[in-house]
Amino acid sequence: MFTALRLLLKIVIGFIVVSLLWVGIYAFVPVPFTMTMAGDMIGGHSVTKDWTPLSSIDPNMARAAIAGEDAKFCRHHGFDWGAIAGAAVHNADGGRIRGGSTISQQTAKNTFLFQGGGYVRKALEAWFTLLIETIWGKRRIMEVYLNIAETGIGTYGAEAAAMRYFNHSAAHLSPTEAARIAAVLPLPKKREAVAPTGFVRRRGNQIARYVGIVRRGGLDACVR
């Protein structure tokens, strides 16, 4: 029993050390690849991405992400407990499953982990969320998020999305263009930002209106 406990302790310490180094390296180095990208390649899709510093991405894109995914991004410390509780209550009532993940949680998952996985993945996601909030800070979290989030089949990041959907760089995105990319994020394999219809059009228009609220209310102050 003592030997087993020693082995478990070594594994835990090793994991902590490796995860700290991993997060520390990605605080400065562009994320080269993710497990989601690997899944696309295994599925026969090519991967298009173009790492772009946050300073070279139009501020409307970060505002649209905040408006569409996480209005409290600059105010929470990785977890929006109100949104998590609300999602749990909603899901318990049945119907369409709704998530309560913040941009920080999504970034942790997309960068270091895999899709699915249940409670084990959720526990690892929480750990990496704490690490990136502590080591990276909000601006770096948003920069990584806008570079590795899936924005279409085989398309990752704001720059690749802007080129795919609008044929120009993410350096200049109108509120409507940024909002349409943000509207694609929850289901990137089933939605398109070009000539959107139905939900994507409605959601995109809604986010576009909220972009101005984010700007005027300073809800993006932590990433400026």
Side-chain angles (χ1 to χ4, degrees):
M1 178 66 72
F2 183 70
T3 301
L5 288 175
R6 287 183 59 186
L7 177 61
L8 179 60
L9 181 60
K10 288 181 179 180
I11 292 173
V12 170
I13 292 174
F15 170 74
I16 291 173
V17 171
V18 169
S19 60
L20 283 170
L21 288 173
W22 199 2
V23 173
I25 291 171
Y26 280 177
F28 307 99
V29 176
V31 177
F33 213 67
T34 68
M35 293 188 187
T36 306
M37 294 176 191
D40 262 347
M41 294 187 70
I42 292 172
H45 300 292
S46 60
V47 170
T48 302
K49 58 187 180 71
D50 187 357
W51 184 274
T52 306
L54 187 61
S55 59
S56 297
I57 299 175
D58 194 292
N60 282 326
M61 191 63 247
R63 291 168 186 151
I66 290 172
E69 297 290 303
D70 187 1
K72 298 180 181 178
F73 177 68
C74 286
R75 289 183 284 166
H76 63 61
H77 298 288
F79 306 93
D80 184 347
W81 299 110
I84 292 172
V89 171
H90 172 84
N91 296 339
D93 291 337
R96 184 187 294 273
I97 298 297
R98 187 173 72 190
S101 295
T102 63
I103 285 175
S104 300
Q105 288 174 271
Q106 293 177 49
T107 303
K109 178 187 69 176
N110 292 340
T111 305
F112 302 103
L113 303 171
F114 44 87
Q115 306 297 322
Y119 291 112
V120 172
R121 199 268 292 158
K122 277 292 184 183
L124 292 172
E125 177 186 298
W127 167 247
F128 279 106
T129 298
L130 289 172
L131 289 185
I132 64 175
E133 280 279 342
T134 302
I135 298 173
W136 290 3
K138 295 293 189 180
R139 186 173 173 82
R140 179 60 174 177
I141 290 172
M142 180 61 74
E143 182 172 63
V144 173
Y145 178 72
L146 292 182
N147 273 282
I148 67 169
E150 189 176 12
T151 48
I153 297 176
T155 304
Y156 291 84
E159 179 67 20
M163 294 301 299
R164 171 176 175 167
Y165 298 125
F166 308 118
N167 297 312
H168 64 74
S169 169
H172 301 287
L173 288 169
S174 69
T176 297
E177 290 172 336
R180 287 184 176 178
I181 293 174
V184 168
L185 288 173
L187 290 171
K189 294 189 185 302
K190 297 181 179 181
R191 298 175 180 173
E192 287 281 339
V194 174
T197 59
F199 174 83
V200 177
R201 175 177 289 276
R202 294 193 302 273
R203 182 59 174 157
N205 291 340
Q206 182 185 50
I207 293 173
R209 292 193 297 271
Y210 289 163
V211 166
I213 296 174
V214 171
R215 177 179 57 81
R216 292 190 298 271
L219 301 181
D220 63 333
C222 63
V223 299
R224 291 179 184 172

